[in-house]
Amino acid sequence: MEQKIIFLILFFFSIFKSGYSVTRPAPMGVIQDDKSFTLIFNKDYPYFTSLILYQNKTTPRSEMAPNSFNCSEVRGIWRYCLFHSDEPFSRLWSSVYGKICARDESSPIEDCSFKMSSLTYFPLPYNLKYSKKPRTSGEDIVITGTYLRFIGGPNFLLNTLDYKNPFVVKGNFSDPSFDCNNITVTFPPGSGNFELSYDDIGSHLFPFSFESPKISSIVSDSVKQTITIKGDNFFTNNDLVMISFDGINQTNFNISVNHTQIQVNDFNRVDPGPMSVNITVNDISIEKNYIHCFPAIITSVSSVSNHLGGIVTIKGEKLSSTLNSSLTPSITIGDQQCTFIKSTTTELECQLDPNEYGGKNLPVNVNFGGCNSTNPNGISFTYNIPTLSSGSYSNGLVTLIGTNLGTNEESSIQLYGEGINDNINIDQFNVSSDEKSATFKLPLLRCRSFNINFTRSNNTVNKLSISASLSINAINRPMVSNGTLQIEMYYMDCSVGSSSAPSITVGNSTSATQCSIPSLQSSTHGYYETTCPTPFGTGINKQFILKLNSEPLTDEFSYAPPKVDNRTFSEGHINITFHGNNFGNSTSLIKVFLNGSDISSEILEIKDNQFTIKRLNSYENGPINITVDGINMESLFYLTLPPVIYGIINKDNKTLACRGLITVSGKNLLTSDDEFKVKVLANNKNTTVFVQDEKILIVRAESNESPLFVSTFIGDDLGPNAILTHLQPIITVVPHIKNKKNDISTSVGGISFSDIFKANLAVKSENVSLSCNLQCSSSPNETLYDSNPKLSSNETDITNSTDCLSCHSNSYVDETSGILYLQIGSTSFHYDVIIEKIELSSSPSVPNGDEIKSSKLSGGAIAGITIGCVAAVGALVGCVVYFKLITRAKNSFK
């Protein structure tokens, strides 16, 4: 108000001085936007017509295009004067010394003596924007908007921070390309709030301030008990700065680096979790409190089984809050939550649920109030890391105590150490349900001490050493007499000296016997062996005590089983002696079985390497089994007895005249032992075996003489003999007589033909002598009737056995019938026969069934249709003679 009164006095003074009639125009208001502005006047008073813009106190802007005010619009009592210029508003600038041209409403005369500095209403900065707030260290700021330099500067900007030192506005305003709506202002170092005046009149102030404090990081040093705050806009004056931690003001601090770093002294915090930090510099506070975390520090973490889950123990620092007991952490392992149980400042426990998939090298985080833990040593969590706390050996079993021992499928155990060339894998072991213990059978090792290497899911546990006690194992069965016992020795001290020879005491003996010094049975076998003599004895489970370096061990052994190497017979095959080993010397301790029958009572004498029994006729070939003091033979001995010949059993002591068969009855006839080979002689000539089994031997006599003197032999010993005579001959087939040119022929078949015979053909006109050849049956048909209840398997039927007389003459008869006369041995035969004339042709033809017909046998017997003798065995139809050579064996044996 005081300013307006001063301006009014100056206005009246100027009029009085010049005598000019235009009253100083006084805008009553302004309407503006970024593209135009309008000044409002009372319609009855003078108003502006144009502006004369100055670049400094004395010099108008000559490059400025003309401008004007259009004041034609009047509404009510107000006149609206719209500013117009050919220059863009980006070039609308002037110093405070610019001039205004005005006129009275009633006169066209302009008065340009009015100063712009006297304006009360004029366009103010419009759409004002700052690129940012300046840092306390000072910097250039870009300011945009319209009418920024309308009445001011132009290269200085007034401010309340220092009235005497305006801020510098960079740029050449006289440059036609310079944009006055986009200016760069240099702000010097400072702090707090202040105001800017864009006109040099100073009538309008715009509030502004330096940037608020910013915190980029905080470093705490528990050793030095300092907090170092790094950031910006802290200025340089401690007295202007206020710092608070969780609302508690800190007094002991200093700006250690101007604008960017503050150090708070004598501060130490042992609790984990967040701390809220606020900084105020010259009444400007940080926009948002900075949260600094005091993290829990992890130095180690235990493992659990993924199958079972369990309690995870985490060790480190700041693992519990001493000031706020309700502040409990959130613990995550990988992506799994671990439920908090309890903690101290250095140790924390949480419960981890089972996890089907497990995992390794998983991150561990202990979060207090949003503050994650730190892990300076890169500690991570891996499931299934086993631990071993102890191990023991007892009765062949090793027991391991630890945690997370897993299962057979995912865990492995290896043994290594002195005396173990290659690591030994333990394939079978048992793990308890809580995975805290594992047991396995210790394999036999050469040395007493060994190391355990336990691995689960590729995680290897700490090594563990265990010692086992000496163990022995008898590996052979000593002979009954002069025996030696071989003993394997395990878990010994690896160095064996010459004084390490053990001694043995067997059974109830009161004296010990020295054994050999244990020797290493090659490094690959991995054990020592000693040899000890054993006393004469038999039986099983014989206890003994082996003592090595005053360390006694008890074990047992069994004597070797009886063994038969061969057998011999006494003269006449009366007694049998079995030769071998380990029979003992007592008939009360030996049992002998033949074909399952106990024949021990027949033992005549016994020694350790042989025994003799009396042979009984009831004995049959079969296995010999021997038991000596409870020890059975490992392999049975098959006893083959010499053959026994009961006799020659041809019925009525008859046989065929032509290569007759001889049947011998007995047992064990199939022996392959040359010593007891069975053979049959007929008239001191060898015979040919036809059929043979254990009880029947059928041979063919190569002699056709009669009688046959038959002898049997077992080896060189003579057996039963007999005299056999021939059966009477029987004719079974007389075919037609074939009459060809200069050739008469026929073939007569029958049984028991001898090699003494005569044949002729009597016809009406003459008597033709026939020349004959005898062909004996080479192989009578034989069939074993196993299923015939009337025949035993030892009987053979000779059926269709046909001897053949082939007779012919170089004569020719012109007759169709005649009489055939035969004499075989002392027996005569005659038959009416048909003489069939055979015509010769250039090509042979096969006769049909009607062309060949048989003759009528004497006595009315019909021989039937046949084709003669074929290979001594013809197809006989009609009367077939069955000649049973063998009677039932059971009847013969009676």
Side-chain angles (χ1 to χ4, degrees):
M1 188 63 184
E2 183 178 353
Q3 251 183 345
K4 292 181 179 180
I5 294 173
I6 294 172
F7 287 152
L8 186 60
I9 293 171
L10 291 174
F11 174 72
F12 287 133
F13 177 77
S14 66
I15 292 175
F16 175 78
K17 181 178 180 181
S18 64
Y20 189 68
S21 61
V22 177
T23 306
R24 181 177 183 81
M28 304 305 294
V30 63
I31 300 173
Q32 69 178 77
D33 60 22
D34 58 342
K35 295 181 180 179
S36 67
F37 70 90
T38 300
L39 296 179
I40 302 173
F41 297 88
N42 190 299
K43 69 180 180 64
D44 297 326
Y45 292 98
Y47 54 87
F48 295 168
T49 58
S50 64
L51 299 176
I52 302 173
L53 305 179
Y54 276 60
Q55 57 181 306
N56 51 42
K57 186 175 182 179
T58 60
T59 308
R61 287 182 56 195
S62 59
E63 88 288 356
M64 180 69 182
N67 65 80
S68 63
F69 284 93
N70 183 357
C71 298
S72 60
E73 181 180 357
V74 177
R75 287 182 286 174
I77 65 171
W78 305 113
R79 182 183 299 278
Y80 295 88
C81 295
L82 175 64
F83 178 78
H84 172 74
S85 175
D86 291 338
E87 289 283 332
F89 274 25
S90 62
R91 294 294 299 154
L92 187 61
W93 66 273
S94 175
S95 70
V96 73
Y97 301 104
K99 299 296 180 89
I100 301 172
C101 295
R103 59 169 283 185
D104 191 73
E105 188 273 335
S106 60
S107 174
I109 300 174
E110 290 182 332
D111 184 355
C112 295
S113 63
F114 303 108
K115 295 180 179 179
M116 291 179 67
S117 60
S118 63
L119 289 176
T120 54
Y121 288 99
F122 52 86
L124 300 177
Y126 183 81
N127 200 18
L128 185 63
K129 294 181 181 178
Y130 303 92
S131 60
K132 64 187 292 293
K133 290 183 178 182
R135 298 196 302 270
T136 61
S137 58
E139 63 178 322
D140 290 346
I141 301 298
V142 176
I143 305 173
T144 59
T146 313
Y147 319 117
L148 297 179
R149 300 278 78 190
F150 186 69
I151 308 175
N155 289 102
F156 297 99
L157 185 63
L158 297 179
N159 63 87
T160 60
L161 190 66
D162 188 349
Y163 288 102
K164 295 179 180 181
N165 295 300
F167 298 157
V168 175
V169 179
K170 292 182 176 181
N172 182 8
F173 281 81
S174 298
D175 184 352
S177 65
F178 186 80
D179 187 357
C180 300
N181 293 339
N182 188 325
I183 62 175
T184 299
V185 180
T186 299
F187 288 78
S191 65
N193 297 296
F194 57 94
E195 293 175 320
L196 298 174
S197 176
Y198 290 92
D199 60 86
D200 285 352
I201 301 173
S203 59
H204 295 85
L205 298 176
F206 293 83
F208 200 41
S209 69
F210 284 91
E211 267 191 327
S212 60
K214 294 181 180 179
I215 299 176
S216 59
S217 66
I218 294 180
V219 177
S220 61
D221 188 332
S222 60
V223 177
K224 296 180 179 180
Q225 296 188 347
T226 60
I227 296 290
T228 301
I229 304 173
K230 295 183 178 183
D232 203 357
N233 305 317
F234 301 150
F235 199 47
T236 60
N237 189 344
N238 287 354
D239 296 336
L240 297 177
V241 177
M242 293 180 58
I243 301 175
S244 66
F245 294 161
D246 286 336
I248 301 174
N249 289 333
Q250 305 298 311
T251 58
N252 189 356
F253 66 88
N254 63 285
I255 299 175
S256 53
V257 177
N258 285 342
H259 306 289
T260 60
Q261 182 170 299
I262 298 174
Q263 180 172 301
V264 181
N265 302 309
D266 298 329
F267 183 86
N268 185 32
R269 175 164 169 164
V270 296
D271 277 15
M275 181 180 73
S276 176
V277 179
N278 180 276
I279 297 180
T280 300
V281 178
N282 198 8
D283 297 327
I284 297 180
S285 293
I286 190 170
E287 292 181 356
K288 182 180 179 182
N289 282 7
Y290 183 87
I291 303 301
H292 173 65
C293 283
F294 287 88
I297 301 173
I298 299 175
T299 58
S300 69
V301 59
S302 66
S303 176
V304 297
S305 169
N306 70 300
H307 303 307
L308 304 176
I311 295 177
V312 177
T313 300
I314 300 173
K315 294 183 178 181
E317 301 174 22
K318 290 185 172 62
L319 297 178
S320 179
S321 175
T322 60
L323 300 177
N324 184 4
S325 60
S326 63
L327 181 62
T328 57
S330 172
I331 305 111
T332 55
I333 297 178
D335 58 358
Q336 301 294 312
Q337 193 72 24
C338 192
T339 304
F340 174 76
I341 299 175
K342 63 179 181 178
S343 69
T344 65
T345 56
T346 58
E347 185 171 299
L348 180 149
E349 291 183 359
C350 62
Q351 177 72 40
L352 192 61
D353 292 335
N355 180 359
E356 177 183 357
Y357 302 103
K360 61 187 305 183
N361 299 325
L362 302 176
V364 181
N365 185 32
V366 179
N367 184 294
F368 282 91
C371 292
N372 293 327
S373 57
T374 60
N375 195 334
N377 297 321
I379 301 298
S380 63
F381 175 88
T382 296
Y383 283 97
N384 305 330
I385 296 179
T387 64
L388 289 179
S389 57
S390 64
S392 60
Y393 171 82
S394 178
N395 297 324
L397 292 179
V398 174
T399 300
L400 304 178
I401 304 299
T403 60
N404 306 328
L405 300 183
T407 64
N408 287 50
E409 291 75 19
E410 60 188 356
S411 300
S412 64
I413 299 176
Q414 280 190 336
L415 307 184
Y416 70 98
E418 187 178 1
I420 302 176
N421 290 341
D422 297 319
N423 290 356
I424 299 175
N425 293 316
I426 304 300
D427 297 324
Q428 296 294 326
F429 55 91
N430 297 316
V431 180
S432 61
S433 59
D434 60 2
E435 299 185 9
K436 292 184 178 181
S437 67
T439 58
F440 63 90
K441 184 178 179 181
L442 182 65
L444 299 175
L445 304 177
R446 175 163 62 95
C447 296
R448 185 184 303 270
S449 297
F450 57 92
N451 299 317
I452 297 288
N453 188 343
F454 194 101
T455 301
R456 178 182 182 184
S457 303
N458 296 323
N459 298 309
T460 301
V461 74
N462 52 295
K463 306 299 186 292
L464 191 67
S465 296
I466 301 176
S467 293
S469 54
L470 180 64
S471 176
I472 60 174
N473 178 39
I475 61 173
N476 74 315
R477 301 171 72 173
M479 303 287 283
V480 168
S481 61
N482 299 319
T484 57
L485 182 64
Q486 294 172 284
I487 301 174
E488 294 175 343
M489 305 181 73
Y490 300 93
Y491 318 132
M492 293 182 60
D493 293 330
C494 273
S495 56
V496 177
S498 58
S499 61
S500 299
S503 62
I504 188 172
T505 304
V506 178
N508 296 323
S509 175
T510 57
S511 60
T513 306
Q514 198 74 11
C515 302
S516 65
I517 296 174
S519 60
L520 179 62
Q521 300 301 298
S522 82
S523 57
T524 56
H525 288 175
Y527 66 91
Y528 288 92
E529 184 177 305
T530 184
T531 301
C532 304
T534 54
F536 183 95
T538 58
I540 61 175
N541 302 331
K542 301 297 181 179
Q543 284 196 341
F544 69 92
I545 298 174
L546 188 77
K547 184 178 290 187
L548 176 65
N549 298 331
S550 301
E551 185 177 359
L553 293 101
T554 302
D555 201 357
E556 58 185 28
F557 68 88
S558 296
Y559 281 95
K563 178 183 177 183
V564 175
D565 295 326
N566 56 70
R567 54 91 178 104
T568 56
F569 292 89
S570 63
E571 186 176 353
H573 307 158
I574 297 174
N575 297 327
I576 309 172
T577 298
F578 294 93
H579 303 271
N581 290 294
N582 305 317
F583 302 137
N585 55 12
S586 173
T587 56
S588 63
L589 296 178
I590 187 170
K591 291 289 185 181
V592 182
F593 300 88
L594 174 60
N595 288 319
S597 298
D598 189 351
I599 59 171
S600 306
S601 59
E602 305 301 327
I603 296 176
L604 301 177
E605 61 177 345
I606 183 171
K607 297 178 182 178
D608 181 46
N609 59 355
Q610 68 179 44
F611 66 91
T612 302
I613 64 171
K614 179 182 179 182
R615 178 188 177 188
L616 301 181
N617 290 333
S618 60
Y619 290 175
E620 299 286 348
N621 292 348
I624 288 287
N625 189 12
I626 301 172
T627 299
V628 176
D629 199 6
I631 300 179
N632 294 322
M633 293 179 70
E634 291 181 346
S635 299
L636 302 185
F637 179 80
Y638 193 85
L639 175 63
T640 301
L641 296 168
V644 176
I645 298 177
Y646 297 138
I648 299 166
I649 59 171
N650 285 38
K651 187 177 181 181
D652 300 328
N653 286 333
K654 296 290 187 180
T655 187
L656 297 176
C658 190
R659 293 187 180 178
L661 298 180
I662 303 168
T663 302
V664 178
S665 172
K667 68 177 183 178
N668 304 331
L669 300 181
L670 279 179
T671 181
S672 59
D673 194 337
D674 291 338
E675 181 184 0
F676 304 121
K677 202 74 172 178
V678 175
K679 62 182 178 180
V680 179
L681 300 180
N683 290 342
N684 290 322
K685 295 180 180 179
N686 290 330
T687 57
T688 302
V689 175
F690 183 64
V691 175
Q692 184 177 14
D693 64 14
E694 288 286 357
K695 296 183 178 180
I696 291 294
L697 173 63
I698 300 175
V699 298
R700 185 193 300 277
E702 299 300 328
S703 173
N704 293 335
E705 300 172 0
S706 180
L708 285 177
F709 295 95
V710 180
S711 302
T712 62
F713 293 86
I714 299 174
D716 294 330
D717 296 336
L718 180 64
N721 53 68
I723 299 174
L724 304 182
T725 58
H726 291 164
L727 287 167
Q728 290 296 319
I730 300 174
I731 294 178
T732 59
V733 178
V734 181
H736 293 177
I737 302 296
K738 295 179 181 180
N739 187 14
K740 294 189 293 184
K741 184 178 181 179
N742 298 327
D743 187 13
I744 297 172
S745 65
T746 187
S747 295
V748 178
I751 297 172
S752 195
F753 289 179
S754 71
D755 53 1
I756 301 173
F757 48 81
K758 280 181 161 186
N760 57 32
L761 174 65
V763 294
K764 293 180 181 179
S765 59
E766 62 181 312
N767 190 6
V768 180
S769 177
L770 299 176
S771 175
C772 299
N773 291 321
L774 173 63
Q775 184 176 357
C776 297
S777 173
S778 62
S779 178
N781 290 340
E782 42 141 344
T783 305
L784 298 178
Y785 294 91
D786 293 339
S787 60
N788 190 333
K790 296 181 180 180
L791 297 172
S792 75
S793 62
N794 298 314
E795 294 179 330
T796 302
D797 275 0
I798 305 301
T799 63
N800 299 346
S801 176
T802 304
D803 298 335
C804 186
L805 278 176
S806 297
C807 302
H808 72 95
S809 173
N810 294 329
S811 302
Y812 177 78
V813 295
D814 192 11
E815 301 288 345
T816 59
S817 62
I819 299 174
L820 179 62
Y821 290 94
L822 294 171
Q823 183 171 349
I824 300 174
S826 60
T827 305
S828 298
F829 304 89
H830 65 277
Y831 299 99
D832 295 331
V833 294
I834 296 172
I835 300 174
E836 182 178 12
K837 185 176 181 181
I838 303 300
E839 298 292 340
L840 297 177
S841 61
S842 59
S843 60
S845 61
V846 179
N848 60 36
D850 294 333
E851 293 175 344
I852 302 176
K853 297 181 180 179
S854 63
S855 298
K856 184 176 182 182
L857 299 179
S858 63
I862 302 298
I865 301 173
T866 187
I867 310 178
C869 303
V870 180
V873 180
L876 305 182
V877 179
C879 180
V880 179
V881 178
Y882 292 87
F883 180 64
K884 184 174 289 187
L885 298 176
I886 308 167
T887 61
R888 297 183 185 274
K890 60 183 180 181
N891 292 331
S892 301
F893 296 159
K894 289 182 180 180

